[in-house]
Amino acid sequence: MTRDQDFYAALTHLSKTAYVPGENKRLYDKDISPLKNRMARENKIVESLEKAVELSGLRNGMTISFHHHFRDGDHIVNMVMDTLARMGFRDLRLAPSSLSDVHAPLIQHIKNGVISHIETSGCRGALAKAVSQGLMDEPMVFRSHGGRAAAIEEDEIHIDVAFLGASSCDPFGNANGYSREGEEKSMCGSLGYARVDAQYADNVIVLTDNIVGYPNVPFGISQRLVDYIVCVDDVGDASKIMTGATRFSTNPHDLMIAETTSNVIVHSGYFYDGFSLQTGSGGASLAVTRFLREAMLEKNIHASFALGGITGAMVKLLEEGLVRRLLDVQSFDLDAAQSLKNNRFHQQIDANYYANPYRRGAAVNQLDVVVLSALEVDTSFNVNVLTGSDGVIRGAVGGHPDTAAGAALSVVVCPLMRGRMPSVRERVNTIVTPGDTVDVLVTDQGIAVNPKRPEVKERLEKAHLKVTSIEELAYRAERITGKPDLLPFGDKIVGVCTYRDGSVLDLIRNIT
Amino acid sequence: MLFVPGNNPGMMSDAHIYGSDALMFDLEDSVTLREKDAARLLVYHALRTIHYGECERVVRVNPLNTPYGKADIEAMVAAGAEVIRLPKTETAQDIFDTEAEIERAEQKFGIPIGQTRMMAAIEGALGVVNAYAIATASPRLVAIALGAEDYCANLKTSRSLEGSELFFARGAIVVAARAAGIDCIDTVYSDVNNEEQLVKETQAIKQLGFDGKSVINPRQIKPVHRVFTPTHEEIGKAQRILAASQEAAARGSGVVALDGKMIDRPVVLRAQRTLELAYASRAVFEEEEL
């Protein structure tokens, strides 16, 4: 007996009460019914969205969130907002990971006071235009993907209820951006941005048009994080969520920029066996991947991993063994989504893992090279990807500042002019990525290297690439386009562009 | 040499970035009658505003027997075009007439007489017959070129894949150019999506002796350059031949030998040309150790 007492004395944290069958009310009673019956009785599926909202305890003034993996095919945001408006909610604060053209109906909800504030990575189309014209009382807050993840983790953004669309979900909430059972109605691949919301939101409601058998693993979102599941007719328009594999551009202009970019990477000093890279989406960056592939084959160089928004072009490199692993926070096309589903070396990651600036292991910090696009670049190498040459919001911050800061070499790619507008100029409309994190600018009319990186400039010159100063590029553009008139900005601040740590980078004023 | 329609500002603003050796702004066939004035003005301003770097700037003007020829020449000389290309050249007289107009314009705008050079396109049977007379008609003339479409129409035939209908004209133009000591440029290959045939045709005209080929799309530049760029083996061999020749000269010997074989003077000349092409195509760079 003494020996037992000694034993207990050492384990002070144990309750030391003896087990009594049925005594602990927090324990589930043993259920002897077959799984199929239990699944029918105890699942998290709620009969309607209204019911789920009620159960979640949502109140006026609270913050709700969405993900943007369904891109321009998304039905979730509009469906949920219409429902909440009908239910009489007001002053809701929206924190979607991004917004696109399809979200124009939010304009009405803003006018009617259902939505009072929006924090997002991007905004496009009619909604963006209305916001630029001063639709909202509070300015829209723009955050990078890494910045948003950090703000959520630090509780700067506290999500009360997350409404997360999923291409498939089992009755207990294991959710995915694809389906392993039969044909999915819609498919988006990675649920990287939604995973952060699922982890930190007080309540998580998954909306799906495809309930599948338990367990839906490997999962994008774990059942552990999901409170309610709502079955809807469709989560989105499949044709707008995913384009097929994007064709390579045959535009000589795009090809020429892509080839130059590939040459810059090859001679930058960061092209070695085991290097890591991220390229964006769009015709030109797909072509970069193609040219880089040729250089990798020729020089027998493999990449340890490719990161970010993943495209079919990158998947091809994985399948050829030229890239060893893919880290996928967002799948850009059907080939990428299929690969995520089928290839175990194609790993789904969340936005924290991807780009949280406070995470030492954040994947962006492991990048050697990132290729980024730009709407405008200025002579201090600041980049704008958010507002157009007319001053109107029309883009997204995305992972731009995260990857530029994280990668050892950031290469920004843009044509010197777009139509009559110069893309390289004295000052960008809106600073999204600070120039001190941008290393090389590639345009169709020459390459400029940030004076902070003289060693890179030297390497490129040694390889006989056309390196010039950024001032010279801006001068060349202006010689052809002339100096654009000043934009008709008003006094109202309609947008705040924040940096990765939440500090304010730039303000966006209304366009009159 | 890349063709750039003279009525397309978008193409004109960045035509030089694709790496062609020359740009030919066209005021002639790619510009409709209604746009002749506008195109002339546009090319004039483009030449005066845009920095085309190392690209040679050629303008194809309308023939003098049209209402536009004179004005074209005057504007392009004033804009500082390096080469005026005369289309549909049939006789030496065409060259004399054009030269007179160029000289008048040079005088008018205070440009050194003789600075503007000329190029003649031969696009008919009469031009081919007169090729040598045309090629030697003016010291301004730097090259003659073949325009195949008009030539075929004139010959009452059509263009074929193997190009047998052009064989005589191409031969005549190369021989005339070589006899006159000027360059010769081959006609365009118009199917931009058929790179394989473009390469075949370029190989064939290079073998005939042409110095270059006209292209209508930036995508055609690389394949043409690849054909004309000497391979590493060719460059290496040329370097060794020249080294042997220099060594022989240093010894004061007229006989050059390499690997136990005697090397004739034509072989040395060809080696020199190979290296010139290698420099021009950036296959090697001047400062690199040869």
Side-chain angles (χ1 to χ4, degrees):
Chain A
M1 216 37 208
T2 48
R3 215 173 58 137
D4 281 359
Q5 276 164 354
D6 286 351
F7 181 70
Y8 277 124
L11 299 172
T12 50
H13 61 286
L14 274 185
S15 70
K16 293 173 199 162
T17 52
Y19 168 69
V20 180
E23 175 95 350
N24 187 347
K25 296 301 175 205
R26 284 179 63 203
L27 277 185
Y28 293 120
D29 288 336
K30 183 174 168 65
D31 189 340
I32 57 164
S33 56
L35 172 65
K36 57 176 183 176
N37 296 5
R38 271 179 281 167
M39 199 62 69
R41 198 173 58 235
E42 301 211 343
N43 61 57
K44 297 177 184 170
I45 300 171
V46 179
E47 72 260 25
S48 69
L49 179 55
E50 286 84 350
K51 181 76 185 164
V53 170
E54 258 171 48
L55 288 170
S56 73
L58 183 69
R59 293 191 309 275
N60 291 345
M62 279 187 166
T63 300
I64 59 177
S65 81
F66 303 91
H67 69 70
H68 72 287
H69 288 289
F70 296 141
R71 287 171 279 268
D72 218 26
D74 178 65
H75 285 175
I76 299 292
V77 173
N78 292 336
M79 182 199 314
V80 170
M81 289 320 300
D82 288 348
T83 305
L84 295 180
R86 243 190 346 263
M87 292 172 78
F89 284 98
R90 294 189 60 78
D91 290 332
L92 292 171
R93 300 172 73 80
L94 254 61
S97 55
S98 201
L99 293 171
S100 58
D101 287 0
V102 72
H103 299 122
L106 296 189
I107 294 174
Q108 210 49 45
H109 298 311
I110 293 168
K111 282 183 180 163
N112 293 342
V114 178
I115 298 168
S116 62
H117 179 74
I118 298 179
E119 307 227 346
T120 176
S121 157
C123 193
R124 295 185 166 88
L127 173 62
K129 196 168 177 195
V131 169
S132 272
Q133 285 164 346
L135 172 71
M136 302 191 74
D137 295 334
E138 275 185 44
M140 203 174 229
V141 174
F142 292 94
R143 295 181 193 267
S144 71
H145 291 322
R148 178 177 188 267
I152 291 172
E153 195 180 64
E154 311 265 304
D155 215 28
E156 202 173 305
I157 302 176
H158 181 90
I159 302 172
D160 294 294
V161 184
F163 295 88
L164 306 177
S167 309
S168 72
C169 186
D170 70 32
F172 283 101
N174 294 301
N176 270 314
Y178 52 80
S179 171
R180 290 177 183 282
E181 282 182 26
E183 280 216 355
E184 54 272 277
K185 288 187 193 165
S186 59
M187 183 174 192
C188 66
S190 177
L191 287 179
Y193 301 122
R195 293 172 92 175
V196 179
D197 302 38
Q199 191 181 346
Y200 291 97
D202 291 345
N203 280 277
V204 175
I205 301 174
V206 168
L207 298 97
T208 186
D209 49 12
N210 188 10
I211 300 279
V212 295
Y214 182 88
N216 185 19
V217 290
F219 48 76
I221 292 172
S222 158
Q223 62 173 20
R224 199 172 61 79
L225 304 171
V226 175
D227 298 293
Y228 310 105
I229 299 160
V230 177
C231 208
V232 295
D233 291 340
D234 56 10
V235 292
D237 177 348
S239 70
K240 290 181 182 162
I241 294 172
M242 281 285 169
T243 52
T246 322
R247 280 195 329 136
F248 285 123
S249 170
T250 54
N251 176 336
H253 196 261
D254 288 356
L255 290 178
M256 192 253 172
I257 294 183
E259 191 175 5
T260 310
T261 308
S262 168
N263 285 334
V264 164
I265 295 170
V266 167
H267 295 108
S268 64
Y270 295 96
F271 190 62
Y272 59 93
D273 196 45
F275 83 119
S276 62
L277 81 161
Q278 174 166 349
T279 60
S281 62
S285 63
L286 283 176
V288 172
T289 313
R290 180 172 64 163
F291 286 113
L292 209 53
R293 173 181 172 270
E294 283 166 19
M296 290 169 83
L297 283 170
E298 191 189 318
K299 298 194 157 63
N300 194 27
I301 278 176
H302 303 78
S304 52
F305 73 91
L307 173 67
I310 297 294
T311 60
M314 206 49 96
V315 165
K316 204 173 155 223
L317 297 195
L318 175 73
E319 287 167 357
E320 284 180 307
L322 289 172
V323 171
R324 298 202 174 95
R325 303 286 186 273
L326 296 183
L327 298 178
D328 187 344
V329 71
Q330 175 174 214
S331 319
F332 276 133
D333 54 38
L334 270 179
D335 287 352
Q338 285 290 357
S339 165
L340 179 82
K341 180 173 155 182
N342 298 323
N343 190 329
R344 67 196 171 100
F345 296 124
H346 185 155
Q347 173 71 38
Q348 184 166 190
I349 60 169
D350 66 42
N352 258 324
Y353 187 118
Y354 172 49
N356 186 326
Y358 302 132
R359 287 280 157 265
R360 191 165 173 200
V364 289
N365 295 344
Q366 321 303 326
L367 276 176
D368 279 312
V369 179
V370 64
V371 179
L372 295 162
S373 61
L375 290 173
E376 294 176 326
V377 183
D378 69 23
T379 48
S380 309
F381 286 87
N382 295 315
V383 178
N384 171 20
V385 285
L386 190 55
T387 51
S389 57
D390 52 1
V392 174
I393 299 163
R394 55 164 289 176
V397 178
H400 207 286
D402 302 313
T403 50
L409 182 82
S410 57
V411 183
V412 168
V413 176
C414 88
L416 189 63
M417 294 163 285
R418 283 187 177 88
R420 281 197 56 192
M421 300 308 294
S423 312
V424 181
R425 50 197 303 183
E426 215 178 307
R427 170 78 165 84
V428 291
N429 268 335
T430 309
I431 298 176
V432 169
T433 295
D436 57 357
T437 59
V438 173
D439 300 310
V440 182
L441 168 67
V442 177
T443 73
D444 44 358
Q445 310 219 7
I447 302 159
V449 180
N450 194 322
K452 287 179 71 176
R453 304 298 301 272
E455 80 287 6
V456 172
K457 184 177 179 196
E458 201 177 300
R459 287 176 203 141
L460 300 184
E461 278 172 342
K462 222 171 168 180
H464 302 287
L465 292 169
K466 271 193 242 164
V467 182
T468 177
S469 72
I470 196 159
E471 289 82 9
E472 166 67 20
L473 290 178
Y475 169 75
R476 264 187 231 171
E478 198 187 292
R479 238 180 101 79
I480 295 173
T481 61
K483 225 183 177 60
D485 290 342
L486 290 178
L487 293 170
F489 284 117
D491 292 331
K492 182 172 176 178
I493 291 166
V494 296
V496 178
C497 186
T498 64
Y499 194 50
R500 313 176 68 199
D501 58 358
S503 59
V504 175
L505 259 181
D506 212 341
L507 302 174
I508 303 167
R509 287 175 198 278
N510 66 317
I511 282 286
T512 51
Chain B
M1 186 164 63
L2 175 65
F3 280 29
V4 185
N7 55 355
N8 187 321
M11 288 189 192
M12 245 182 264
S13 66
D14 62 5
H16 57 299
I17 65 177
Y18 303 106
S20 68
D21 303 301
L23 296 173
M24 193 203 78
F25 300 96
D26 186 21
L27 300 177
E28 198 214 3
D29 283 353
S30 59
V31 179
T32 61
L33 290 183
R34 285 165 49 187
E35 288 187 311
K36 293 288 184 194
D37 292 1
R40 185 186 308 130
L41 209 61
L42 197 59
V43 174
Y44 172 84
H45 284 294
L47 289 177
R48 300 203 40 128
T49 312
I50 299 171
H51 180 64
Y52 284 111
E54 290 158 18
C55 281
E56 191 169 34
R57 294 160 299 155
V58 182
V59 180
R60 177 161 82 172
V61 296
N62 288 287
L64 279 176
N65 61 7
T66 64
Y68 318 106
K70 271 191 182 183
D72 284 353
I73 290 174
E74 191 173 304
M76 293 310 127
V77 169
E82 285 158 284
V83 180
I84 300 288
R85 171 168 161 146
L86 182 67
K88 303 187 176 69
T89 316
E90 309 231 289
T91 63
Q93 190 60 42
D94 292 342
I95 301 292
F96 300 148
D97 296 346
T98 309
E99 181 168 28
E101 284 304 321
I102 292 175
E103 192 166 326
R104 212 173 51 77
E106 283 176 342
Q107 265 166 359
K108 183 170 172 185
F109 297 108
I111 292 165
I113 304 296
Q115 179 176 297
T116 315
R117 284 165 293 148
M118 286 173 68
M119 189 173 168
I122 293 173
E123 305 181 52
L126 187 55
V128 171
V129 170
N130 289 328
Y132 180 68
I134 291 169
T136 50
S138 163
R140 289 178 190 257
L141 214 60
V142 290
I144 50 177
L146 172 64
E149 297 301 337
D150 286 297
Y151 176 75
C152 285
N154 188 234
L155 234 55
K156 301 189 175 171
T157 178
S158 59
R159 285 190 76 175
S160 65
L161 265 186
E162 74 277 14
S164 54
E165 69 286 351
L166 295 178
F167 189 72
F168 178 77
R170 280 176 167 153
I173 284 172
V174 172
V175 169
R178 291 290 171 259
I182 62 177
D183 285 344
C184 47
I185 314 287
D186 190 45
T187 186
V188 298
Y189 179 70
S190 38
D191 185 354
V192 289
N193 290 319
N194 191 345
E195 188 176 317
E196 196 188 334
Q197 188 58 32
L198 171 70
V199 168
K200 269 190 199 160
E201 190 175 294
T202 309
Q203 282 164 341
I205 62 106
K206 184 193 171 210
Q207 189 59 34
L208 275 177
F210 276 98
D211 297 292
K213 189 161 178 63
S214 301
V215 296
I216 49 166
N217 187 296
R219 270 153 60 200
Q220 295 181 321
I221 293 170
K222 253 214 173 133
V224 170
H225 277 180
R226 269 203 293 272
V227 172
F228 275 96
T229 305
T231 62
H232 279 293
E233 291 84 57
E234 286 168 340
I235 294 169
K237 192 172 171 202
Q239 285 167 350
R240 286 171 52 224
I241 289 169
L242 284 186
S245 138
Q246 279 160 6
E247 194 201 340
R251 277 203 322 264
S253 161
V255 182
V256 183
L258 180 67
D259 302 339
K261 278 190 220 162
M262 205 183 83
I263 293 170
D264 294 332
R265 192 170 146 67
V267 177
V268 176
L269 290 179
R270 211 155 54 223
Q272 266 169 359
R273 178 161 167 78
T274 301
L275 287 188
E276 279 165 18
L277 270 173
Y279 290 134
S281 61
R282 298 183 169 233
V284 288
F285 291 86
E286 301 261 7
E287 69 268 30
E288 275 169 20
E289 199 60 42
L290 286 177

